[in-house]
Amino acid sequence: MTRTATEQQGYLDDFEKLNARVSANGGGWAGDLRRRAMECFCSLGFPSTRHEEWKYTSLEALRKARLRTPDVSGGAVARGRGPFDSEGWERHALTFPWDGDDAGPDGNGDDLFIGRLATAMESRLPWVEAHLGRHADYDGHALRALNTAFLEDGGAVRLGPGRVLERPVHLAFAAVPEQASGRIVHPRTLVVVGAGSRLTLVETYSGAGDGVYCTNAVTEIVLEDDAELDHYRLLREGGGAFHLGTVQVHQARNSRYRSLSVASGGNMTRVEINALLDGEGADCQLRGLYVAGGTQHVDNRTAIEHARPHGTSRELYKGVLSGRSRAVFNGKIVVRKEAQKTDAQQSNKNLMLSRDAEIDSKPQLEILADDVRCSHGTTIGQLEEDELFYLRSRGLNESIARELLVHGFAGEVLDGIAIEPLRAGLENGVLAELGV
């Protein structure tokens, strides 16, 4: 048996156990979706650095860890409390892993549903079958295929047409150290925002300790005509963790998607955010902050595809690196031939607090239309000596001066978080992560 086959055997064994307990879950279409995805994963295997998309990020340590997939169908589990569970903000909250106490979803399932994906699938809600697995394409993407093969539970949110949900929806995925170690979990989230509706979604992933575990998450988001979504995706995984995440967004006419992603903690993190602007006048804004120290590795990949005219996109990602950490940024904007009058801007800025830290930054434009305004750029630098000197000349010691400059650099992204307790917690966390 080859090494690849041996690695896959554990996942195949766990997949058969999943099939045995959820054979009726979601109807035949869900079972067929899982089987096709598992076949795809077995055909592809884990990507290596020979693959262009994974040139700077190795999964060799994840291969060697031989993690297993737990039964997440219910029962007695401990509920973790993560760093994003601060008080002071009202929300619709769901915490995973589920502890077996299912109070039922909010809403009637069509006009409003906030609950577990497992419940939505078992209820055979039409919007679930219409969208689940239809947007996050797994062909050629092994990790998305693996998540889809183990599609069982996660968050499900549906907001019908013409509604504004005042309270944010908070989906909290918290790894409990004594349960997570040696495991790989595959949370799946589906969000559908109806025409003319508005929603704020907070998606958090957290863990503690230095145990080795992996979160392999996929989120599918559908915005109908004139819909608006503010999406905060926040990470602070445990020190030995792997985090592999994909967000796939489908935007209809005049929809607005505003994403703010913050990644810290963990051993290795890779987050992909892909948006298809498939309606005229769609608007997409991506903002991100990634923080790494020690020997951490963080990889951010974004892709914005303009498929219709008069679309706009704005992207700003910032990185703060210390120690011997390494970061990767790959941002791509594609403008199809039909997408005339597109206005797109992309920027990646990096602050290096150590000479041993590394960043590989690759912003890209692929333009097939001829009447567009597009730009992209990247910067890499260290703290300015003149700025440090100025602050110290005003009576501040070097530590406080550095802290203020780092805070100011990161603040351009963090200031976009409208929920004050979240923003304050992240600001403190960024500084603590870097030891400044």
Side-chain angles (χ1 to χ4, degrees):
M1 183 177 290
T2 65
R3 186 182 77 162
T4 300
T6 302
E7 292 167 349
Q8 293 172 352
Q9 189 59 52
Y11 294 106
L12 283 168
D13 293 342
D14 292 341
F15 177 74
E16 293 303 326
K17 292 176 183 177
L18 169 67
N19 270 343
R21 69 177 181 264
V22 297
S23 57
N25 186 13
W29 68 271
D32 291 342
L33 178 63
R34 292 188 188 100
R35 283 191 293 273
R36 291 195 303 270
M38 194 65 201
E39 290 171 0
C40 180
F41 172 72
C42 289
S43 174
L44 294 171
F46 280 111
S48 72
T49 53
R50 293 191 300 272
H51 296 81
E52 182 62 29
E53 295 287 301
W54 291 85
K55 184 177 180 180
Y56 300 109
T57 299
S58 172
L59 293 180
E60 189 62 24
L62 179 59
R63 289 173 181 266
K64 293 178 179 178
R66 302 287 179 88
L67 305 179
R68 301 303 296 269
T69 303
D71 180 350
V72 298
S73 59
V77 296
R79 175 169 285 185
R81 181 174 176 82
F84 307 106
D85 295 332
S86 57
E87 302 298 330
W89 58 295
E90 296 294 324
R91 54 194 149 166
H92 302 270
L94 290 171
T95 301
F96 299 91
W98 203 256
D99 67 356
D101 181 19
D102 189 349
D106 291 337
N108 61 20
D110 187 30
D111 192 47
L112 174 65
F113 182 99
I114 304 169
R116 296 174 62 192
L117 181 60
T119 301
M121 293 171 67
E122 290 164 4
S123 302
R124 292 172 168 80
L125 300 176
W127 54 270
V128 176
E129 185 171 352
H131 294 293
L132 186 62
R134 314 296 184 186
H135 304 284
D137 180 28
Y138 56 76
D139 287 340
H141 299 276
L143 295 165
R144 290 183 217 167
L146 189 62
N147 175 282
T148 305
F150 285 93
L151 192 158
E152 183 177 9
D153 206 359
V157 181
R158 162 65 175 171
L159 189 61
R163 298 195 53 157
V164 176
L165 199 62
E166 298 294 340
R167 285 187 290 164
V169 175
H170 182 197
L171 305 179
F173 299 89
V176 180
E178 58 270 20
Q179 293 178 340
S181 185
R183 304 294 183 88
I184 179 171
V185 294
H186 309 278
R188 187 67 171 241
T189 296
L190 174 64
V191 179
V192 181
V193 184
S197 293
R198 181 170 182 176
L199 172 69
T200 297
L201 174 69
V202 181
E203 192 179 355
T204 64
Y205 298 86
S206 61
D210 295 322
V212 178
Y213 68 91
C214 179
T215 301
N216 176 34
V218 172
T219 299
E220 290 180 291
I221 295 172
V222 180
L223 304 182
E224 298 177 357
D225 291 352
D226 299 295
E228 295 187 27
L229 176 65
D230 291 332
H231 182 199
Y232 303 134
R233 193 180 194 279
L234 313 176
L235 307 180
R236 194 176 297 164
E237 296 279 19
F242 298 87
H243 183 96
L244 306 165
T246 296
V247 178
Q248 192 72 41
V249 185
H250 186 274
Q251 296 188 236
R253 180 179 57 83
N254 291 332
S255 62
R256 297 189 66 188
Y257 176 66
R258 293 178 288 265
S259 167
L260 195 152
S261 172
V262 180
S264 64
N267 175 36
M268 193 279 282
T269 297
R270 177 178 166 116
V271 178
E272 300 183 21
I273 300 180
N274 309 305
L276 174 61
L277 280 62
D278 201 22
E280 186 170 351
D283 177 75
C284 177
Q285 298 180 31
L286 304 184
R287 287 198 163 204
L289 174 68
Y290 47 95
V291 176
T295 58
Q296 291 176 317
H297 182 103
V298 57
D299 184 342
N300 281 279
R301 304 184 73 86
T302 65
I304 301 174
E305 185 170 359
H306 290 265
R308 296 289 182 267
H310 297 283
T312 58
S313 64
R314 296 291 184 269
E315 181 174 2
L316 172 64
Y317 265 66
K318 287 191 163 189
V320 184
L321 308 179
S322 64
R324 292 185 292 112
S325 62
R326 183 168 185 178
V328 181
F329 174 81
N330 189 309
K332 188 173 184 179
I333 295 175
V334 177
V335 182
R336 294 186 187 174
K337 185 177 180 180
E338 300 83 5
Q340 303 293 341
K341 304 294 184 180
T342 288
D343 184 353
Q345 297 178 17
Q346 179 191 81
S347 178
N348 174 228
K349 300 179 181 181
N350 297 278
L351 179 61
M352 316 298 283
L353 302 181
S354 166
R355 295 187 182 277
D356 295 323
E358 294 184 39
I359 172 72
D360 294 289
S361 180
K362 186 180 179 182
Q364 301 177 73
L365 294 176
E366 183 178 318
I367 303 172
L368 303 179
D370 53 18
D371 186 5
V372 301
R373 287 176 32 179
C374 297
S375 65
H376 70 296
T378 186
T379 61
I380 301 170
Q382 298 176 330
L383 292 175
E384 293 289 343
E385 292 296 332
D386 290 346
E387 294 176 348
L388 279 171
F389 177 79
Y390 175 82
L391 291 175
R392 296 192 67 185
S393 70
R394 295 302 184 268
L396 300 179
N397 64 38
E398 183 174 357
S399 176
I400 294 177
R402 288 170 61 88
E403 180 178 319
L404 285 174
L405 291 175
V406 172
H407 190 282
F409 180 82
E412 188 176 1
V413 174
L414 295 179
D415 287 349
I417 299 177
I419 303 169
E420 195 279 332
L422 270 184
R423 183 175 65 252
L426 281 165
E427 288 173 347
N428 293 332
V430 165
L431 296 178
E433 188 83 18
L434 293 166
V436 297

